[in-house]
Amino acid sequence: MKKPGALPHWHYLDATEVVRLLDVDLTTGLAGGEVARRREKFGPNRISARRGPPAWLKFLQQFNQPLVYILLAASGVTAFLGEWVDSSVIFGVVLVNAVVGFLQEAKAEKAIESLARMVATETTVRRDGRKQRIPSEQLVPGDVILLQAGDRVPADLRLFQMRGLQVDESALTGESLPVHKHPDPLALDTVLADRRNLAFAGTLVTAGHGEGIVWAIGDQTETGRIAWLISEAVDLSTPLTRKIAQFSRLLLWVILALAAATFAIGVARGEKTVEMFMAAVALAVGAIPEGLPAAVTVVLAIGVARMARRRAIIRKLPAVETLGSTTVICSDKTGTLTENQMTVREIFTGDRRYEVTGAGYEPKGEIQSGGAAVKLAEHPALAECLRAGVLCNESSLARREDGHRTVQGDPTEAALLVAAEKGGLLHADEHRDSPRVDMIPFESEHMFRATLHRSRRGRVIYKIGAMERLLERCADRLDDHGELAPLDKEAVRHAVEAMAARGLRVLALARRHVDAGQAKLEPGHVAEGLTFLGLQGMIDPPRPEAIAAVRKCQRAGIAVKMITGDHLVTARAIASQIGLKGREEHGKLVALSGRELEKISDEDLSEAAERTAVFARVAPEQKLRLVKALQARGHVVAMTGDGVNDAPALKQADIGVAMGISGTDVAKGAAAMILTDDNFASIEAAVEEGRGVFDNLTKFIVWTLPTNAGEAMVLLTAILFGTVLPALPVQLLWVNMMTALLLGLMLVFEPKERDLMARPPRDPKRPLLTHALIMRTGLVSLIMLAGVFWLFFWELGMAGASEAAARTAVINVIVLVEIGYLFSCRSLNHSVFAIGLFTNWWAIAGSLGTLAAQLLFTYAPVMNRLFHSAPIGGESWLRIAAVAGLAFLAVELEKWIRFGGRRGEHAIPE
């Protein structure tokens, strides 16, 4: 993919200068020959795909992991020993893991393809003096484009002529409202979201019409620049894969060192070289945890299934655990923390303030004054204010097939309709009673709309727009009795300032009665003599469930930060309502704008990102910088979002979380997890599941290590002292594979512990195995070592058993110690009796299955021949049970001494 180059600051240039630079006649457009020359020079208007490694290389790269090296070695060793079934099983585990990893590799490419689809539209262009409809892929710089409502902008344009043009840029900039465009030059340092004289590829025209000149196509557009950022963002490993890789590298060297030591010691003692080589192989087979990769895959897959039930779809397995280690969640505002549905919250009629309850486009709620619901008939000024919002309105609401309401038109105007419905005024009834006669449409340079209506009270004009354009044209107001009264303009200005400080967007409404015969509406009719009806303040409100989810995340020690393209005042207001915590000044959250971020160096940015909770008017590159700055401080960063502008940061973050309903294909393609209900609250559930996954995976590793370490110590000790091997390689393979499947994997079904969300996030730098767990591993390994040799020599000497019977007793004691230790590992600091012995029926079923398998191993003739085992008597079973019981009691005692019955602390010992 070609990197976008430096482009002129088109928003800064006058339209005539743009025409000169692009060498085009606005009245005729480009000639056919010139189009062909430019297409040859600039190429097609599409985003080029990034070339990646071939599929076969991607697949082979899945085997380039230390843990896989160990498994391949185990497979080779078992094949060398002639155990083809075991060798095939181990290699099958490796193959499955490689396939799962391979299937996730196309994530970035899918995001690029989605971006290309966004631009793949048809457009109207003026060429050779006439209008033509052509595929947008055929556009070249200098083409004159004609836009109207419903069009998707086909390339980046410099606008030069328009009437009421509004563009929805929320997917690109995060701005929740359609942007009113104008053709005038802007300051050089104007941020992307405020470049009102430009239209960007992939955005949607919601109202009006206009014309513009193409100045960027394909990879050079803002959408193309985001595609470049996606392709450039580094695919990070997750905390789980980093810890497993680190642990695997350590394990690899430990096993090799032990095997080499075994071989060297035996040869030095004068033993036969071939026998010592087989002994070293036996030690390696005993020490390799064959079940670990399968356990990692299964525990993550179960986490995926649990999260899917809680409305979170995982696209990449390790993402389950990453959420559990998350220390910071960076969230977009629009549609993620908020409803993405503009809602009127306050109404001011000149001397009275009203509150409007409810949120979104459903007419659920009421209009209140002083906390009590009002009757519209008793508040004529309020009724007229609401009526003006319905009649001077070009939008409507429709019900989708799924039952939800959707806006047809401007979300701001939809908010006015819903507020009126809450007061009892319906759109259809009002327009039937007061049909429209004429209208002055909204123009960005005028900042108002006016409509003329025929009603039972005569002809009336309603006007709606910005307060600063409307208030000076008002001569009086309506009072509580519906009579004309003096207008206190200063009180209105104070009300506007108070609403704006709370992040509300404020619209003013007015009316004027005119002659009954008037049929035309001219600007002069609304220039003076208006009656002020009121103000309506609206906002895209926070989701109630998001407020609760943010609170839970903060209680769990996870910082939540808002990174949005919306206005700073609005972002800070929403952040305060949601309860975000960050640096404050004068009792208010400190918020940084994109313009301020530009002036902060990379060295200082990490400190600012750490302390600040709200970032507004942020460009895509800056979102990426913020995520990287937080990662530089050691944070595990989750980034949520739904727009094109979120995609680079979603990919850079340790885990990207996209919205399934409102999210663009680009965001979904760049994310590791998708929320099917667009609900920020689902993230809290995902964090809980992720922590449970890490807990259970740690429990499996803590359980499996002493068994493998104990087996290796048994063999090493036997060789060191020149005794008969207490267990054969094929017997150790039986133990490892059977117990990993029937015992160890049962830990992945362990229910989440009660204090899971009361803990701070796990330190990403903290090793997978802490000092306490290493000590516990050593304790169990030593008990197993001592118990095995005591039992082996007792069976050979005191009981007079054969070597086969003594080895059978050894294998059984190893398995029973593992069963007892399995129940101890169900909680790493609480007693198994405290968490409930029967709360994990899988563990009980696995233990019973293991005992049944051991009875077959001991008494079935076919198993005796395959594994060189032999039947043992009842007294042997008593001695086996005694050793296993001692190991279980020792671990429970160690937990009691270390934690002393404490509750609510870290489930994984320090």
Side-chain angles (χ1 to χ4, degrees):
M1 182 179 197
K2 183 181 176 183
K3 182 175 181 179
L7 296 168
H9 299 286
W10 297 100
H11 64 280
Y12 175 68
L13 302 176
D14 185 83
T16 56
E17 180 65 13
V18 174
V19 169
R20 188 188 66 80
L21 286 173
L22 293 171
D23 191 18
V24 62
D25 185 335
L26 296 180
T27 58
T28 61
L30 295 174
E34 181 63 21
V35 169
R37 283 191 294 274
R38 296 192 184 192
R39 187 177 297 135
E40 180 70 25
K41 178 179 179 180
F42 296 106
N45 177 33
R46 64 167 178 256
I47 296 170
S48 56
R50 178 176 57 125
R51 285 188 177 182
W56 63 267
L57 183 56
K58 288 181 183 178
F59 182 72
L60 290 180
Q61 286 172 346
Q62 306 302 318
F63 295 90
N64 187 25
Q65 302 175 42
L67 192 59
V68 175
Y69 300 156
I70 297 173
L71 284 169
L72 290 174
S75 180
V77 167
T78 49
F80 180 79
L81 292 173
E83 300 296 330
W84 298 107
V85 174
D86 298 301
S87 178
S88 300
V89 169
I90 298 170
F91 185 74
V93 170
V94 176
L95 198 59
V96 168
N97 286 338
V99 170
V100 170
F102 174 74
L103 293 177
Q104 303 298 329
E105 284 296 316
K107 185 175 62 170
E109 286 78 1
K110 288 180 181 177
I112 301 294
E113 291 168 8
S114 175
L115 282 162
R117 285 197 301 274
M118 282 189 66
V119 180
T121 57
E122 281 198 344
T123 189
T124 304
V125 61
R126 184 181 293 126
R127 287 179 178 172
D128 294 317
R130 59 189 178 88
K131 290 194 295 184
Q132 303 176 37
R133 190 78 176 165
I134 64 170
S136 62
E137 187 175 304
Q138 297 178 11
L139 292 177
V140 297
D143 263 327
V144 178
I145 304 299
L146 285 68
L147 297 173
Q148 61 183 5
D151 287 350
R152 192 172 290 280
V153 179
D156 284 1
L157 310 179
R158 172 62 165 88
L159 301 168
F160 63 87
Q161 181 179 314
M162 67 205 66
R163 183 176 177 85
L165 185 66
Q166 299 179 41
V167 180
D168 179 1
E169 297 180 345
S170 60
L172 182 68
T173 66
E175 172 67 66
S176 55
L177 295 171
V179 178
H180 300 281
K181 296 296 184 178
H182 64 74
D184 304 326
L186 297 168
L188 187 61
D189 63 348
T190 303
V191 297
L192 182 72
D194 291 332
R195 295 177 185 174
R196 302 299 176 91
N197 56 12
L198 302 181
F200 300 104
T203 58
L204 186 67
V205 179
T206 59
H209 54 83
E211 297 185 12
I213 309 171
V214 175
W215 57 266
I217 62 172
D219 293 339
Q220 301 296 321
T221 64
E222 285 298 326
T223 305
R225 287 165 57 80
I226 291 173
W228 169 258
L229 292 171
I230 294 172
S231 66
E232 286 298 288
V234 178
D235 268 324
L236 299 180
S237 58
T238 69
L240 175 63
T241 56
R242 288 195 290 265
K243 285 179 171 58
I244 292 292
Q246 183 182 8
F247 172 67
S248 301
R249 283 192 294 271
L250 174 64
L251 200 58
L252 177 64
W253 291 111
V254 167
I255 291 171
L256 290 176
L258 286 175
T262 299
F263 182 78
I265 291 171
V267 171
R269 290 176 55 87
E271 302 290 346
K272 294 180 179 179
T273 302
V274 174
E275 290 182 1
M276 286 304 96
F277 175 75
M278 293 306 298
V281 166
L283 185 144
V285 168
I288 292 173
E290 291 89 348
L292 182 57
V296 172
T297 302
V298 172
V299 75
L300 291 174
I302 289 173
V304 167
R306 287 176 175 172
M307 292 176 74
R309 289 195 293 270
R310 302 182 78 169
R311 302 183 184 278
I313 304 299
I314 298 299
R315 299 183 70 247
K316 194 173 183 180
L317 280 180
V320 183
E321 181 273 335
T322 310
L323 269 174
S325 300
T326 296
T327 58
V328 176
I329 298 175
C330 296
S331 177
D332 188 38
K333 177 186 72 68
T334 306
T336 307
L337 291 168
T338 64
E339 299 275 8
N340 200 17
Q341 297 182 354
M342 293 298 289
T343 304
V344 173
R345 282 289 175 84
E346 295 181 25
I347 301 175
F348 177 76
T349 59
D351 61 356
R352 188 184 291 257
R353 177 178 171 273
Y354 299 89
E355 301 86 33
V356 184
T357 64
Y361 296 142
E362 293 295 334
K364 297 176 181 176
E366 59 186 12
I367 301 174
Q368 299 178 345
S369 178
V374 301
K375 295 180 179 178
L376 220 56
E378 300 173 1
H379 297 263
L382 171 63
E384 273 298 281
C385 181
L386 293 173
R387 184 171 289 110
V390 175
L391 294 175
C392 193
N393 199 311
E394 282 289 277
S395 299
S396 61
L397 290 160
R399 188 135 339 242
R400 298 195 310 241
E401 292 182 4
D402 60 5
H404 291 91
R405 286 181 120 193
T406 183
V407 180
Q408 295 177 341
D410 191 313
T412 302
E413 297 182 5
L416 299 175
L417 296 178
V418 175
E421 284 187 63
K422 291 175 181 177
L425 302 182
L426 300 181
H427 180 272
D429 294 346
E430 294 301 317
H431 279 270
R432 184 182 61 249
D433 294 342
S434 302
R436 182 181 297 174
V437 177
D438 197 11
M439 178 181 74
I440 298 176
F442 185 93
E443 298 282 358
S444 58
E445 56 266 32
H446 297 146
M447 298 297 288
F448 75 85
R449 175 190 288 124
T451 53
L452 173 63
H453 296 267
R454 183 178 66 250
S455 71
R456 290 188 298 268
R457 295 157 294 173
R459 302 226 165 176
V460 61
I461 297 171
Y462 288 107
K463 183 178 179 180
I464 183 170
M467 182 276 294
E468 56 269 20
R469 297 293 181 91
L470 191 144
L471 185 61
E472 295 305 320
R473 290 164 173 77
C474 292
D476 47 32
R477 67 175 178 87
L478 280 187
D479 64 13
D480 279 349
H481 304 290
E483 304 293 332
L484 297 180
L487 174 62
D488 185 349
K489 294 183 179 180
E490 198 58 36
V492 175
R493 291 190 184 95
H494 285 312
V496 170
E497 290 172 2
M499 287 184 183
R502 289 189 286 275
L504 299 178
R505 185 188 183 199
V506 183
L507 291 177
L509 302 99
R511 79 175 186 191
R512 181 185 177 188
H513 287 286
V514 294
D515 295 338
Q518 182 169 326
K520 298 293 289 183
L521 189 56
E522 303 291 343
H525 295 145
V526 291
E528 60 182 0
L530 300 174
T531 298
F532 178 78
L533 298 178
L535 306 170
Q536 294 197 39
M538 61 193 69
I539 197 169
D540 180 11
R543 296 173 180 263
E545 60 270 27
I547 297 174
V550 167
R551 190 185 309 119
K552 289 179 181 178
C553 287
Q554 290 173 340
R555 189 165 62 240
I558 301 168
V560 181
K561 299 180 184 294
M562 179 193 294
I563 304 178
T564 178
D566 213 340
H567 293 281
L568 190 142
V569 173
T570 304
R572 182 157 44 201
I574 292 294
S576 298
Q577 293 176 37
I578 287 174
L580 296 190
K581 295 178 181 178
R583 182 164 60 95
E584 295 186 359
E585 289 181 1
H586 310 298
K588 290 185 177 180
L589 275 174
V590 172
L592 289 177
S593 68
R595 191 168 293 179
E596 291 170 319
L597 286 175
E598 286 179 353
K599 301 173 183 177
I600 300 176
S601 66
D602 289 341
E603 292 75 20
D604 297 331
L605 183 60
S606 60
E607 176 67 23
E610 180 79 23
R611 299 179 62 196
T612 308
V614 182
F615 302 89
R617 305 307 271 173
V618 175
E621 295 93 336
Q622 293 172 328
K623 292 188 177 188
L624 202 57
R625 276 188 75 204
L626 286 168
V627 171
K628 289 180 177 179
L630 290 166
Q631 288 173 331
R633 290 182 71 92
H635 285 294
V636 177
V637 181
M639 170 72 187
T640 74
D642 56 3
V644 175
N645 62 326
D646 298 321
L650 286 173
K651 189 167 186 291
Q652 175 66 35
D654 293 280
I655 177 168
V657 184
M659 303 295 116
I661 299 173
S662 62
T664 59
D665 288 344
V666 183
K668 295 173 187 176
M673 186 175 86
I674 299 171
L675 303 182
T676 60
D677 59 355
D678 282 18
N679 196 335
F680 184 87
S682 298
I683 296 175
E684 187 271 333
V687 168
E688 185 178 5
E689 292 296 342
R691 290 188 175 191
V693 163
F694 198 93
D695 261 11
N696 289 349
L697 193 59
T698 303
K699 290 170 184 176
F700 174 84
I701 293 172
V702 170
W703 170 81
T704 195
L705 278 187
T707 60
N708 294 110
E711 292 169 15
M713 288 171 64
V714 166
L715 295 171
L716 188 60
T717 302
I719 293 166
L720 188 63
F721 290 99
T723 66
V724 178
L725 291 180
L728 299 175
V730 70
Q731 294 172 337
L732 295 178
L733 267 177
W734 161 260
V735 171
N736 288 358
M737 294 303 294
M738 186 267 301
T739 57
L741 292 173
L742 293 180
L743 291 182
L745 286 183
M746 300 306 106
L747 285 172
V748 307
F749 300 102
E750 185 64 29
K752 294 181 290 290
E753 297 193 36
R754 290 189 301 271
D755 63 346
L756 198 61
M757 290 302 289
R759 314 173 200 160
R762 182 183 174 89
D763 184 355
K765 298 177 182 177
R766 186 178 175 187
L768 195 63
L769 291 180
T770 61
H771 177 265
L773 294 182
I774 292 173
M775 296 299 291
R776 187 177 297 173
T777 297
L779 172 67
V780 177
S781 298
L782 289 172
I783 293 174
M784 184 182 292
L785 174 68
V788 162
F789 274 100
W790 172 79
L791 184 63
F792 185 64
F793 288 117
W794 182 283
E795 294 296 317
L796 285 176
M798 302 298 292
S802 64
E803 280 189 11
R807 283 174 174 152
T808 302
V810 163
I811 294 301
N812 279 303
V813 81
I814 291 174
V815 170
L816 261 68
V817 167
E818 291 188 29
I819 290 175
Y821 189 46
L822 175 81
F823 283 90
S824 287
C825 287
R826 288 187 54 211
S827 176
L828 298 179
N829 66 343
H830 302 318
S831 167
V832 65
F833 301 107
I835 65 171
L837 193 62
F838 300 103
T839 52
N840 184 351
W841 284 99
W842 287 98
I844 294 172
S847 299
L848 294 174
T850 302
L851 289 174
Q854 282 307 113
L855 290 175
L856 288 173
F857 175 86
T858 305
Y859 297 109
V862 64
M863 300 294 279
N864 295 155
R865 287 193 300 273
L866 285 173
F867 293 100
H868 311 291
S869 57
I872 56 176
E875 292 184 359
S876 296
W877 282 110
L878 290 176
R879 288 187 285 272
I880 290 168
V883 174
L886 177 64
F888 175 79
L889 292 175
V891 174
E892 290 296 300
L893 180 62
E894 183 267 344
K895 283 196 283 188
W896 184 83
I897 292 171
R898 185 177 296 277
F899 295 100
R902 287 176 282 170
R903 294 288 184 269
E905 303 192 8
H906 306 309
I908 301 174
E910 300 288 348

